[in-house]
Amino acid sequence: MPRAVWTLAIIIPVCMAGCSRDATTISTLEAQVRRNPDSVQHLVALGEAYLEEEMKHDAFIQFSRAWQQAPSSFEAAYGLARAHAALGARQQALTTVDQALEIDPDSVEALSFRGRLHLAAGDPEAAVDDLQRALELDPDSEEALRHLPIAYLRTDELDRAEQAARDARDRRPEDVDAHLNLALVLAVRKKYDEAEQLLRQAMELAPDDARPPFRLAEVLLIQERKLEEAVELAEKAADSGEPKGEAGALAAMALRKLGRQREAIQRLHDAASMNPRNTRLWLMLSAAYKEIGEEEAAAKAAAVAVRLAPRRKMREGEGGELIITPEW
């Protein structure tokens, strides 16, 4: 029986941390810009507010205006880079953050941001350079601590990945992401017992977060142990908001290993129906039907996969954070 393989996709966070501004604050900032249309400070502040509210195009306009007014402004360049990334324009984001770092080469935030962009673009070596430099400047940089272990994983430097992940967890012992990253590295290294322990700790730290139960279900499924619990964990992840139907796929795989084939098929059918653009779910469903000899149902599921498949190649970073790639 084919073994499950861990794969990784990086989602780039593009909004700055902080409390969301309310409409009154944005209105005030807009009024300031109307009164002072050439003020870089006000344009940047409004761009930041728009970005926090995920008004991506509006943020892009304000940062562009600020950049035109002051090409030597780090804040304008860095803001524009993040707006480009928010709009999915990765190459433009890289170009602009390069310009920002020419202005301020020691910006930890910009270095970490560029590292994440390189990671998402499939250039983990460049990501390692940026994230290492960010940590040299600020050993407590949350973003650099979070992403450096993943960058090392992508360069197959497993010893460094584990050390970086342990350092991050030690520096941020209450950070769920630090637990998740270390668990991922340990699972890749087949240190499943410690990975399981970390994921259970993560569930205690964040009871409403879908990721710890989802990933713990993966660890159990990879080992083909505690499969009943794996089903329960996958269902908990689904109830907590795990996107794109992957939790349903995990539950189905565990049910199949338990010999409950019909239940597994129903889980897959429900997950695929709720997430019709997830082609892999339909292909898994087709394989499941074929396995029990229902050729007509298998053909219908495969046809849906072909009909609903995206007409473009999926970009790196799309499709979830951490999933098993199952083969039925």
Side-chain angles (χ1 to χ4, degrees), residues 81-102:
R82 287 161 39 241
H84 275 306
L87 291 168
R90 182 189 299 147
Q91 189 53 54
Q92 291 90 329
L94 277 167
T95 299
T96 314
V97 76
D98 285 346
Q99 294 171 324
L101 282 165
E102 288 177 6

Side-chain angles (χ1 to χ4, degrees), residues 91-238:
Q91 189 53 54
Q92 291 90 329
L94 277 167
T95 299
T96 314
V97 76
D98 285 346
Q99 294 171 324
L101 282 165
E102 288 177 6
I103 300 167
D104 183 359
D106 292 336
S107 168
V108 173
E109 293 80 6
L111 284 165
S112 298
F113 178 73
R114 189 170 68 179
R116 301 198 309 271
L117 287 174
H118 283 309
L119 198 54
D123 190 357
E125 291 83 3
V128 165
D129 290 342
D130 281 337
L131 296 168
Q132 282 182 330
R133 175 60 177 156
L135 284 175
E136 289 171 4
L137 293 166
D138 179 6
D140 292 318
S141 168
E142 179 180 355
E143 292 299 321
L145 286 169
R146 180 175 300 166
H147 293 284
L148 183 58
I150 306 304
Y152 279 133
L153 267 186
R154 299 286 284 272
T155 58
D156 294 323
E157 298 177 83
L158 299 186
D159 288 339
R160 289 185 173 182
E162 182 173 340
Q163 187 58 57
R166 290 190 185 280
D167 289 345
R169 195 276 312 270
D170 291 345
R171 286 187 175 275
R172 303 183 63 82
E174 302 301 315
D175 186 348
V176 173
D177 287 282
H179 283 71
L180 293 175
N181 283 346
L182 179 53
L184 166 60
V185 175
L186 293 171
V188 169
R189 309 201 77 179
K190 299 183 179 180
K191 299 180 180 182
Y192 296 124
D193 289 343
E194 189 178 356
E196 179 180 341
Q197 180 183 2
L198 281 163
L199 291 169
R200 294 190 187 281
Q201 292 172 1
M203 289 175 63
E204 293 177 3
L205 287 172
D208 297 326
D209 192 324
R211 296 172 300 165
F214 178 59
R215 297 181 189 182
L216 180 54
E218 292 180 303
V219 168
L220 298 179
L221 187 57
I222 288 170
Q223 301 174 82
E224 299 189 20
R225 57 188 288 269
K226 299 182 182 178
L227 293 175
E228 293 281 2
E229 184 183 6
V231 174
E232 294 175 2
L233 288 164
E235 291 176 342
K236 175 179 173 61

